[in-house]
Amino acid sequence: MLKRKFAALGCSIALASSLVAGCAAAGGVEPDKVLQNAFGVVSYEGSGSLSFQVTAGTASKGYPDAAKLNNAVVELTHVKQQDKTNSSVTGVFKTGSGNIPFEAAQVNKEWVIKAEGASKPLVLEDAHGQTQKESAAAPGFGLDFSTLNMEKLQNHLGSILSYAPTLDSFAVSDTNATINGESLALKKIHAELKGGELIGILQKTLSNLLADGEKGDALIRSIIGDLGYDGNNAFMFSIVKESLRSLATDASALDVLFPAGDFLNNSNVLKLDVYVDGESQIRRTGFELALNGLPHLENGVSAVTITGSFDRWNINGTVTADKLSAEGGIKLSEGGGLAKYLLALDKNSTAYKFLMEELKVNRKHIVLPPVGSETPTTEVRPYLQGDTTMVPVRLVTEQLDAQVGWNPDTYEVTVTDIWSGKKVEFKIGSTTVKVNGAEQTLDASAVLGGDTTYVPVRIIAETFGAEVLWNQDTYVVTIVRN
């Protein structure tokens, strides 16, 4: 959660630059140069904050109480980016329960976070590579974006955004600001973007790119190359260009990029203020993202407003990031990582009171893939064995904060709940199971399907304090734990 908030502040600078990059030079500001400088920043120091206004009703079973995030504030008192792989942050998370001071440090692509009340640090490993590998090729393009080199793509971003239409709200004015004790004369760039405008802006940008003849074609070929393909291959080039043409002319085709069409309406507004110095460096960024009239969300949230600001100084100067040791840390990527971290919190701490007693982040709402009628042979999904729903053991248990043990000599599977320590022991082919050492007889036995172990879902869920819900119309099993 904290990692996302750090990233949001950093990304707001690039996002603000991107939105104004398509606008013509005005008021002494050259948007293309601002964008080029933004991506060229290697080191800096900064400070900032994020605040949240959340309108939420009662959440469905198994969801955290999002209303407790209302009026929460993340203050970053000092950010130090030594280079693009070494950074540190000190700050405080302010909640209705009190303040939670924290510090974090990034080394390469790993973040270590230490929060007051936690006996062990939390380690956030880079998930970008894993996410890319698991992502499917984008429909309509036939390209696997796992090969995408973002650093190379950034080199083309200014060129891509030069085709964007000028925003009606774009305005430049003179202003003064004090940043890190220094009084500065700055140019303030203001822009607003409504959700209902986004599709049109994207389509106009693509239309302008496609209409730019050889220059536009050269840019498309270069981007194809950044995807790991041969941009000079005529067949590949024709596929990509035809896909872009489809996106530019058919708004429904953009559902590939924006499947949540309900969010793209004019009640959802992003307001940006970017403050630029005489060297075309961004020194301050402010934004307000208002999401109103959201479609029905099971977490009960109907509206969210996120307000942020960020100052930076000592740009491309000598900066030394603070270091934090990951020794003894809990890795979020490991099975049950969040549960282990929450269990390591001091029960008298503000962090425990807020996360566990108020926000209730340990609640679970797990929706499984539709149940099939026979044992899967290639895909991993639930199936029916008689009247019993069988589930892939790891698919369910890891989401329920449980650990799985496998004994290849005896063909026994042991599932242990991280929270309570309760155990369920299965033996492949046997309808007898042990629940905390006591034997029970089930209607179905654990089975092996390929390399996957399948077990009856209800015995695990109910032993670990969860409820199993069955949708007869969709054949979908949902597991909830409050």
Side-chain angles (χ1 to χ4, degrees):
M1 181 172 63
L2 292 175
K3 182 180 181 182
R4 292 193 187 99
K5 292 168 184 172
F6 302 153
L9 280 175
C11 290
S12 67
I13 296 173
L15 176 60
S17 306
S18 300
L19 280 179
V20 302
C23 303
V29 174
E30 299 179 60
D32 288 345
K33 187 174 182 181
V34 172
L35 181 64
Q36 181 180 2
N37 285 345
F39 284 121
V41 171
V42 174
S43 62
Y44 67 86
E45 296 178 73
S47 62
S49 67
L50 278 176
S51 63
F52 302 86
Q53 297 294 320
V54 179
T55 302
T58 303
S60 298
K61 286 184 177 181
Y63 284 97
D65 187 359
K68 298 302 181 182
L69 287 172
N70 191 38
N71 296 321
V73 176
V74 179
E75 287 191 358
L76 306 183
T77 54
H78 200 172
V79 177
K80 300 177 183 178
Q81 179 169 302
Q82 181 175 322
D83 50 47
K84 293 186 177 180
T85 59
N86 291 273
S87 305
S88 63
V89 180
T90 57
V92 58
F93 183 39
K94 298 183 176 180
T95 76
S97 302
N99 297 340
I100 307 172
F102 65 87
E103 53 183 335
Q106 175 200 26
V107 178
N108 295 321
K109 296 182 179 181
E110 180 179 88
W111 278 91
V112 178
I113 300 174
K114 290 187 176 180
E116 188 174 276
S119 61
K120 297 180 180 180
L122 183 64
V123 180
L124 307 180
E125 297 171 298
D126 176 54
H128 182 61
Q130 180 181 359
T131 301
Q132 286 180 329
K133 292 176 183 177
E134 294 176 352
S135 64
F141 283 89
L143 297 176
D144 180 2
F145 285 91
S146 67
T147 59
L148 181 62
N149 186 318
M150 290 303 298
E151 291 186 3
K152 288 185 177 180
L153 187 61
Q154 285 179 2
N155 295 331
H156 301 302
L157 191 55
S159 299
I160 296 171
L161 292 170
S162 67
Y163 293 103
T166 299
L167 298 178
D168 293 338
S169 61
F170 180 79
V172 178
S173 59
D174 294 318
T175 188
N176 295 304
T178 300
I179 297 177
N180 192 40
E182 181 182 5
S183 181
L184 300 171
L186 303 171
K187 295 287 186 180
K188 176 183 175 181
I189 305 172
H190 177 78
E192 297 183 15
L193 178 64
K194 297 179 179 179
E197 300 172 334
L198 185 57
I199 295 296
I201 290 173
L202 287 171
Q203 289 190 300
K204 183 62 176 177
T205 301
L206 291 175
S207 295
N208 291 339
L209 170 62
L210 293 167
D212 199 20
E214 293 184 3
K215 183 179 177 182
D217 287 352
L219 179 57
I220 294 171
R221 293 182 191 279
S222 183
I223 294 172
I224 293 173
D226 289 343
L227 290 168
Y229 295 87
D230 182 4
N232 293 316
N233 182 288
F235 178 70
M236 177 62 68
F237 176 75
S238 66
I239 290 177
V240 174
K241 193 167 183 179
E242 183 58 36
S243 297
L244 293 175
R245 187 174 290 109
S246 175
L247 294 174
T249 56
D250 180 7
S252 65
L254 285 165
D255 286 343
V256 173
L257 301 176
F258 299 98
D262 289 338
F263 290 89
L264 300 181
N265 60 70
N266 287 339
S267 65
N268 300 324
V269 181
L270 174 63
K271 298 179 181 179
L272 290 164
D273 291 312
V274 182
Y275 298 78
V276 181
D277 64 17
E279 302 298 321
S280 295
Q281 289 283 7
I282 297 175
R283 303 300 301 273
R284 171 175 289 173
T285 305
F287 72 91
E288 178 185 283
L289 175 62
L291 302 175
N292 300 296
L294 297 178
H296 175 70
L297 301 177
E298 289 189 289
N299 62 10
V301 176
S302 59
V304 178
T305 298
I306 305 174
T307 304
S309 64
F310 190 75
D311 290 352
R312 63 179 183 176
W313 59 90
N314 195 17
I315 298 174
N316 290 330
T318 301
V319 178
T320 302
D322 299 326
K323 305 297 182 184
L324 287 178
S325 173
E327 185 176 356
I330 297 173
K331 294 184 177 181
L332 190 63
S333 61
E334 293 183 350
L338 179 59
K340 294 175 184 177
Y341 181 74
L342 294 172
L343 283 170
L345 291 174
D346 181 346
K347 289 182 172 53
N348 295 316
S349 67
T350 299
Y352 184 90
K353 182 178 180 181
F354 177 71
L355 294 173
M356 294 290 289
E357 298 178 359
E358 296 191 9
L359 190 58
K360 298 180 174 66
V361 296
N362 58 325
R363 287 179 173 175
K364 295 292 180 181
H365 188 106
I366 305 166
V367 180
L368 300 179
V371 174
S373 58
E374 56 187 26
T375 309
T377 55
T378 55
E379 58 181 333
V380 177
R381 58 165 175 77
Y383 74 98
L384 284 176
Q385 182 175 313
D387 294 328
T388 302
T389 301
M390 307 291 290
V391 295
V393 65
R394 291 191 185 275
L395 176 67
V396 173
T397 55
E398 290 182 355
Q399 293 185 75
L400 269 179
D401 297 331
Q403 294 179 310
V404 180
W406 167 250
N407 188 325
D409 297 325
T410 61
Y411 273 51
E412 292 178 323
V413 178
T414 301
V415 183
T416 306
D417 182 33
I418 293 173
W419 292 101
S420 64
K422 292 181 178 179
K423 291 184 179 181
V424 182
E425 300 171 76
F426 300 89
K427 184 177 179 64
I428 299 299
S430 174
T431 57
T432 300
V433 300
K434 291 182 179 179
V435 180
N436 298 319
E439 291 188 350
Q440 293 187 24
T441 301
L442 304 179
D443 293 333
S445 63
V447 301
L448 277 177
D451 294 329
T452 303
T453 301
Y454 292 83
V455 299
V457 63
R458 196 170 295 278
I459 186 67
I460 291 180
E462 294 181 352
T463 299
F464 296 166
E467 181 182 1
V468 178
L469 305 177
W470 168 253
N471 188 317
Q472 181 63 40
D473 296 328
T474 61
Y475 269 47
V476 168
V477 171
T478 301
I479 302 172
V480 298
R481 182 167 67 188
N482 269 3

